[in-house]
């Protein structure tokens, strides 16, 4: 028996002993977790430290329950719904192989696309159910609110499936799957300059995502900023924002906002007859079906958006696309891929850790994505390395969303794609490393 084999056996002995003893937190057991975002009262509770452990199902196999906060309602629900599909495929892929000698379950709560909803959802999962690992969430401001109010100073591991704000880099223990928004902001700035725009009007949504990406754009842009104002989320009209941008005579209009807000803005710009006054640019959240469905035909032609992307020609991504299309009848977005990888990385951390606790998972979660290990492009490949005695650093999980390679700040290596609206449809205009 070599040292790797001994470590593997010792690790499984610890996990199974912990599972049998039920050392901490029984609320996350199999069958007791809401799977549709309902059922949590959001009141939180005292005493939750994330040191949850798995319990046994009736069949005797171990069940490892982690949490997920997702935007199932509200202005970010389009992203949340896509996440659900990626999550479902990932769970099937994990449980077809197994994790830690058992199965993975995800207890889920809806953040309603708000910080308050996110904190309540996380309190239910962390403080009441005692999950040691939390996937969450979409909105950057919601993710940071969860981290600061619920996760920080505990042993709970938090992995955001969609948040892109540069500010998340300031929280090294708040991990994420998509590239930081700073790279997006710099790419938008470069596009403006390449297209000959010497002045810009910037409209950003009044939250952590909008402010931080907006600030990164201003820092990167070498032209003149002639308008720089926030707008609130969920308003019925943004005509004052559009009118103010129009009054500046800026060469370019830049929108760092969400799909519902941008859809309203584009319609009101058309109604005011100012759509063609400037070149339009945006970040990841201005691209989506709701935007083109709401905008008059041809009104957004020429607009460019920079969004996180995936390695479209990679074999594992193509396999993910095929499975996604077969099950859901449409192509996945990069956001679905990020959600998929968030679940897979979580499962690999469980497989690699000495015990099912937040502190043990945090010790290994970065390692299973780092390039020093043997590349594995599927959960099954990575699981096999660990199950055969490999250490966490022996695995380099390269996901369907890309290489990941989580750094000391919890940020991954990323890929960005530029889209341009042509004939009222999004067309790729190239890739940029993030």
């Amino acid at each position: 028996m070599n040292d790797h084999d001994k470590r593997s056996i010792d690790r499984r002995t610890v996990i199974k002993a912990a599972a049998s003893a039920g050392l901490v937190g029984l609320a996350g057991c199999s069958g007791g977790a809401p799977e549709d975002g309902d059922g949590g009262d959001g009141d939180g509770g005292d005493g939750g430290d994330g040191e949850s452990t798995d319990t046994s199902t009736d069949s005797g196999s171990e069940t490892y329950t982690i949490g997920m906060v997702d935007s199932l309602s509200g202005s970010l629900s389009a992203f949340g719904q896509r996440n659900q599909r990626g999550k479902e495929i990932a769970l099937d892929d994990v449980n077809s192989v197994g994790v830690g000698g058992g199965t993975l379950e995800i207890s889920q709560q809806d953040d309603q696309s708000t910080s308050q909803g996110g904190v309540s959802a996380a309190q239910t999962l962390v403080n009441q159910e005692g999950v040691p690992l939390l996937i969450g969430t979409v909105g950057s401001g919601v993710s940071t609110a969860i981290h600061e109010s619920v996760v920080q100073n505990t042993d709970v591991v938090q992995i955001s499936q969609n948040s892109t704000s540069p500010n998340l880099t300031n929280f090294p223990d708040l991990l994420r799957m998509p590239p930081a928004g700073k790279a997006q902001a710099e790419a938008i700035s470069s596009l403006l300059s390449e297209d000959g725009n010497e002045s810009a009007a910037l409209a950003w949504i009044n939250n952590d995502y909008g402010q931080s990406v907006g600030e990164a754009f201003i820092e990167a842009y070498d032209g003149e900023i002639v308008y720089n104002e926030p707008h609130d989320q969920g308003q019925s009209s943004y005509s004052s924002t559009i009118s103010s941008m129009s009054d500046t005579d800026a060469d370019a209009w830049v929108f760092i906002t969400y799909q519902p807000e941008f859809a309203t803005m584009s319609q009101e710009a058309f109604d005011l007859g100012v759509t063609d006054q400037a070149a339009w640019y945006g970040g990841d959240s201005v691209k989506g079906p709701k935007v083109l469905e709401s905008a008059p035909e041809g009104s957004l032609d020429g607009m460019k958006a920079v969004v996180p992307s995936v390695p479209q020609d990679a074999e594992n991504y193509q396999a993910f696309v095929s499975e996604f299309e077969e099950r859901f009848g449409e192509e996945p977005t990069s956001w679905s891929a990020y959600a998929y990888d968030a679940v897979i990385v979580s499962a690999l951390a469980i497989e690699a850790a000495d015990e099912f606790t937040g502190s043990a998972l945090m010790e290994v979660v970065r390692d299973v994505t780092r390039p020093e290990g043997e590349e594995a492009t599927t959960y099954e490949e990575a699981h096999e390395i660990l199950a055969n005695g490999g250490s966490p650093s022996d695995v380099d999980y390269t996901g369907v969303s890309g290489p990941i390679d989580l750094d000391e700040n919890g940020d991954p290596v990323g890929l960005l794609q530029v889209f341009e609206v042509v004939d009222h449809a999004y067309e790729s205009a190239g890739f940029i490393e993030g």
Side-chain angles (χ1 to χ4, degrees):
M1 177 184 298
N2 61 33
D3 290 341
H4 281 325
D5 293 335
K6 183 177 181 181
R7 282 198 298 271
S8 179
I9 293 173
D10 289 346
R11 183 189 66 77
R12 281 166 176 73
T13 301
V14 171
I15 285 184
K16 289 182 179 180
S20 300
L23 296 178
V24 188
L26 298 179
C29 63
S30 174
E35 287 296 326
D36 58 358
D38 296 326
D41 60 13
D43 290 334
D46 295 326
D49 61 359
E51 294 292 310
S52 172
T53 188
D54 55 290
T55 59
S56 297
T57 63
D58 292 339
S59 63
S61 64
E62 319 301 345
T63 300
Y64 301 92
T65 301
I66 62 175
M68 183 174 190
V69 177
D70 203 8
S71 298
L72 304 178
S73 61
S75 62
L76 297 174
S77 59
F79 294 91
Q81 290 159 10
R82 296 168 190 164
N83 290 339
Q84 293 301 295
R85 296 174 173 183
K87 178 202 74 173
E88 289 176 22
I89 295 175
L91 269 176
D92 288 348
D93 286 351
V94 169
N95 289 329
S96 67
V97 177
V99 58
T103 59
L104 178 68
E105 287 194 358
I106 297 179
S107 180
Q108 185 165 278
Q109 292 286 322
D110 179 15
D111 64 25
Q112 303 169 29
S113 301
T114 68
S115 294
Q116 181 178 358
V119 169
S120 294
Q123 286 173 337
T124 297
L125 293 167
V126 173
N127 296 343
Q128 295 182 17
E129 298 186 20
V131 298
L133 187 149
L134 181 70
I135 298 174
T137 182
V138 178
S140 297
V142 186
S143 287
T144 53
I146 288 172
H147 192 75
E148 292 184 293
S149 298
V150 182
V151 174
Q152 203 168 42
N153 300 320
T154 73
D155 288 331
V156 175
V157 178
Q158 183 181 356
I159 306 174
S160 170
Q161 63 268 46
N162 287 168
S163 297
T164 59
S165 167
N167 281 350
L168 267 69
T169 302
N170 298 324
F171 300 93
D173 290 338
L174 204 179
L175 316 178
R176 57 168 149 198
M177 292 295 103
K182 182 179 181 181
Q184 288 185 54
E186 292 171 347
I188 295 170
S189 171
S190 295
L191 286 176
L192 262 69
S193 298
E194 291 170 6
D195 293 344
N197 298 292
E198 297 180 355
S199 61
L202 172 65
W204 48 277
I205 197 159
N206 193 15
N207 62 18
D208 179 74
Y209 163 73
Q211 181 176 1
S212 57
V213 176
E215 289 175 349
F217 168 77
I218 293 170
E219 183 178 349
Y221 184 52
D222 57 10
E224 182 183 5
I225 304 293
V226 295
Y227 176 86
N228 174 24
E229 293 294 337
H231 53 271
D232 290 332
Q233 186 175 347
Q235 300 299 299
S236 60
S237 174
Y238 294 96
S239 59
S240 60
T241 295
I242 295 299
S243 295
S244 296
M245 295 174 79
S246 176
D247 289 342
T248 65
D249 291 326
D251 294 335
W253 292 358
V254 179
F255 299 90
I256 308 298
T257 189
Y258 296 146
Q259 282 189 48
E261 288 72 17
F262 182 69
T264 299
M265 291 179 185
S266 62
Q267 177 64 60
E268 291 179 334
F270 179 82
D271 293 341
L272 292 170
V274 298
T275 302
D276 297 331
Q277 183 176 314
W280 286 36
Y281 299 83
D284 54 88
S285 293
V286 305
K287 176 189 176 290
K290 288 184 178 180
V291 173
L292 294 184
E293 288 170 6
S294 302
E297 186 79 21
S299 62
L300 291 179
D301 281 2
M303 183 186 79
K304 295 180 181 179
V306 177
V307 304
S309 189
V310 293
Q312 296 183 348
D313 295 331
E315 185 176 339
N316 61 341
Y317 179 71
Q318 286 300 316
F320 175 68
V321 171
S322 296
E323 178 67 17
F324 198 97
E325 289 178 335
E326 182 178 346
R327 292 176 64 162
F328 305 115
E330 63 182 20
E331 290 187 8
T333 66
S334 57
W335 307 109
S336 302
Y338 296 132
Y340 176 94
D341 279 340
V343 175
I344 298 298
V345 170
S346 300
L348 290 175
I350 294 170
E351 182 68 32
D354 290 334
E355 58 184 7
F356 189 48
T357 64
S359 57
L361 294 172
M362 182 59 82
E363 286 183 6
V364 301
V365 66
R366 284 179 173 83
D367 289 343
V368 297
T369 73
R370 299 293 300 156
E372 292 79 13
E374 178 183 346
E375 184 179 40
T377 59
T378 67
Y379 174 75
E380 184 174 10
E381 290 176 357
H383 175 273
E384 184 176 356
I385 295 171
L386 295 168
N388 288 335
S391 69
S393 59
D394 290 328
V395 178
D396 172 21
Y397 173 65
T398 298
V400 299
S401 66
I404 305 179
D405 294 349
L406 290 170
D407 66 14
E408 66 276 8
N409 296 316
D411 291 334
V413 172
L415 186 67
L416 301 172
Q417 188 170 10
V418 180
F419 285 91
E420 182 174 356
V421 179
V422 179
D423 294 331
H424 209 63
Y426 296 105
E427 291 188 2
S428 177
F431 292 86
I432 303 170
E433 286 192 6

